[in-house]
Amino acid sequence: MTKRIERFLAEQKPPTPCLVMDLDVVADNYRRLRAAVPHAGIYYAVKANPAPEILTLLDKMGSSFDTASVNEIDMVLATGAKADRISYGNTIKKKEDVAQAFKRGVTLYAFDSDAELAKIADAAPGSRVFCRILTSNANADWPLSRKFGCDVQMAKTLLLEAAKRDVVPVGVSFHVGSQQRDPSQWDIAVEQAAWLFRQCEEKGVMLSMLNIGGGFPTRYRRTVPGLKTYGVAVQDSLSKHFGNRIPEIVVEPGRQLVGSAGVIQTEVVLISKKSDGDRKSWVYLDIGKFGGLAETMDEAIQYPIVSTRTGQPMPVALAGPTCDSADILYEKADYTLPADLAIGDRLEIRAAGAYTTTYASVAFNGFEPIKTYCI
Ligand SMILES: *Cc1c(COP(=O)(O)O)cnc(C)c1O
């Protein structure tokens, strides 16, 4: 919670639920990442929060952009950023979308299969391509495993194959899982990438770029290691496996840049119990899983939820307002709220700047998507 957000909420009293983003915090997060990985190209993962004000700010600060669809590419271009600062990092693209991206000047594409490589070679000839490899995603609160990437043997075959087609194989990418709490996870994937670089070089294909993905965390309820620790772990790992031939490094931060910059304000709609003897109270909010808090799935991401009341802590289950029983935020995690909490109170859901607005449904049960205010 920042002073600016506090003042905005007190003065403007916007209807709830709403997300307020403090752009100063985004800028600060960008500078901290810049310092932690000074030599890396920063490609903001647009999906984390594509608010035009955020894209414009990051463009001004020199960021590049990781996109997953033609719409995201258009959002970035609308800020005035040039297409050469855009990577089309989704490994699952329609051929027509590759063609549309290419028409807009995008020439950097991810792939993890032969069929995807064929689409890129056909629809975006001459482009640079990088192959995503599988990683375990251990110790990540929001894993991105199994679905993306191929094993290193297949990656080798694909990169060598790419060299024979009308594209330029430039490197390797991976993602260690989002909200990765363990900085040592990068080392496993960097080692595999270095092996791939050597294997390709032996066959005369010189790779030049290593994309080490996102995964840098936001502080939620649990503490996480500082960003510097991640920077040091990555640098040590690169030196260990690449020696003095470290390639061009790319990072794709999403959560780290915007998570801590946003606060969702929500209203308490109902407080009730399921039986007279119930220890837990059920607190129903005007935002839930379908209104933007999808990452509460399996209670994976645990946002700090704060009331200004001062009563004794009361154990609660928290749920959203929709007519779907999947719309429970936290039932197992030990959340408490002050016992004097009342219907109509406003609560703050902190560190909610990443993966909230984009995950909101269009209008399930008639509830409108959450509104964003950038200040
Ligand atoms: C989602 C995503 C990111 C951003 O991940 P964070 O954990 O939010 O930093 C980066 N790269 C790719 C390919 C992604 O899909």
Side-chain angles (χ1 to χ4, degrees), residues 238-302:
L238 290 171
S239 301
K240 182 165 132 202
H241 300 297
F242 284 95
N244 56 6
R245 297 180 63 199
I246 295 176
E248 175 196 344
I249 300 299
V250 162
V251 291
E252 295 175 334
R255 195 182 298 281
Q256 180 270 333
L257 283 180
V258 291
S260 64
V263 172
I264 286 176
Q265 193 169 55
T266 175
E267 183 182 312
V268 176
V269 182
L270 178 68
I271 306 171
S272 66
K273 294 204 172 190
K274 299 291 164 204
S275 68
D276 289 336
D278 226 358
R279 201 180 65 89
K280 260 190 185 178
S281 295
W282 281 73
V283 175
Y284 299 90
L285 309 176
D286 65 0
I287 187 170
K289 274 204 163 62
F290 304 101
L293 302 179
E295 288 197 318
T296 58
M297 219 184 284
D298 299 327
E299 312 196 11
I301 297 295
Q302 299 190 355

Side-chain angles (χ1 to χ4, degrees), residues 43-48 66-68 89-91 110 130 132 142 144 148 173-180 186 211-217 251-258 295 354-355 359:
Y43 282 66
Y44 172 54
V46 172
K47 72 177 189 281
D66 171 52
T67 61
N90 193 344
T91 52
F130 56 94
R132 180 156 168 180
W142 194 259
L144 298 167
F148 307 104
S173 77
F174 60 80
H175 196 303
V176 293
S178 201
Q179 189 66 7
Q180 176 53 261
W186 274 262
N211 178 335
I212 64 170
F216 310 103
V251 291
E252 295 175 334
R255 195 182 298 281
Q256 180 270 333
L257 283 180
V258 291
E295 288 197 318
Y355 303 117
Y359 272 148

Side-chain angles (χ1 to χ4, degrees), residues 210-223:
L210 176 59
N211 178 335
I212 64 170
F216 310 103
T218 283
R219 165 86 208 263
Y220 295 104
R221 286 216 297 176
R222 281 211 260 179
T223 57

Side-chain angles (χ1 to χ4, degrees), residues 139-184:
N139 299 326
D141 284 341
W142 194 259
L144 298 167
S145 53
R146 303 207 321 281
K147 180 170 167 183
F148 307 104
C150 59
D151 77 12
V152 282
Q153 285 298 342
M154 182 180 275
K156 176 184 167 185
T157 310
L158 290 174
L159 285 162
L160 296 177
E161 180 57 32
K164 296 180 200 149
R165 302 200 191 166
D166 193 6
V167 286
V168 184
V170 289
V172 175
S173 77
F174 60 80
H175 196 303
V176 293
S178 201
Q179 189 66 7
Q180 176 53 261
R181 285 177 284 104
D182 174 8
S184 73

Side-chain angles (χ1 to χ4, degrees), residues 15-27:
T16 64
C18 65
L19 170 68
V20 188
M21 295 293 298
D22 186 336
L23 294 176
D24 285 357
V25 179
V26 178

Side-chain angles (χ1 to χ4, degrees), residues 56-267:
T56 302
L57 170 78
L58 291 174
D59 174 45
K60 274 206 204 95
M61 296 189 79
S63 184
S64 297
F65 298 91
D66 171 52
T67 61
S69 65
V70 176
N71 269 342
E72 280 191 352
I73 290 168
D74 283 341
M75 287 187 241
V76 172
L77 292 174
T79 69
K82 294 278 178 297
D84 65 359
R85 301 242 303 271
I86 296 175
S87 165
Y88 200 163
N90 193 344
T91 52
I92 307 150
K93 305 174 281 299
K94 290 181 181 168
K95 190 166 161 186
E96 174 57 21
D97 289 343
V98 176
Q100 287 298 326
F102 190 60
K103 211 171 106 188
R104 288 158 172 74
V106 176
T107 58
L108 183 60
Y109 297 87
F111 72 100
D112 64 4
S113 66
D114 190 57
E116 192 72 12
L117 181 60
K119 289 186 217 168
I120 301 166
D122 267 4
S127 290
R128 294 163 294 147
V129 295
F130 56 94
C131 186
R132 180 156 168 180
I133 56 172
L134 271 170
T135 55
S136 86
N137 280 221
N139 299 326
D141 284 341
W142 194 259
L144 298 167
S145 53
R146 303 207 321 281
K147 180 170 167 183
F148 307 104
C150 59
D151 77 12
V152 282
Q153 285 298 342
M154 182 180 275
K156 176 184 167 185
T157 310
L158 290 174
L159 285 162
L160 296 177
E161 180 57 32
K164 296 180 200 149
R165 302 200 191 166
D166 193 6
V167 286
V168 184
V170 289
V172 175
S173 77
F174 60 80
H175 196 303
V176 293
S178 201
Q179 189 66 7
Q180 176 53 261
R181 285 177 284 104
D182 174 8
S184 73
Q185 287 297 313
W186 274 262
D187 187 58
I188 304 162
V190 169
E191 180 173 17
Q192 292 183 331
W195 179 85
L196 266 173
F197 272 62
R198 287 194 303 271
Q199 291 288 311
C200 286
E201 185 176 358
E202 272 177 29
K203 303 279 180 197
V205 174
M206 307 298 279
L207 302 178
S208 58
M209 184 202 81
L210 176 59
N211 178 335
I212 64 170
F216 310 103
T218 283
R219 165 86 208 263
Y220 295 104
R221 286 216 297 176
R222 281 211 260 179
T223 57
V224 286
L227 200 55
K228 273 187 198 152
T229 313
Y230 288 82
V232 170
V234 164
Q235 189 55 48
D236 286 353
S237 173
L238 290 171
S239 301
K240 182 165 132 202
H241 300 297
F242 284 95
N244 56 6
R245 297 180 63 199
I246 295 176
E248 175 196 344
I249 300 299
V250 162
V251 291
E252 295 175 334
R255 195 182 298 281
Q256 180 270 333
L257 283 180
V258 291
S260 64
V263 172
I264 286 176
Q265 193 169 55
T266 175
E267 183 182 312

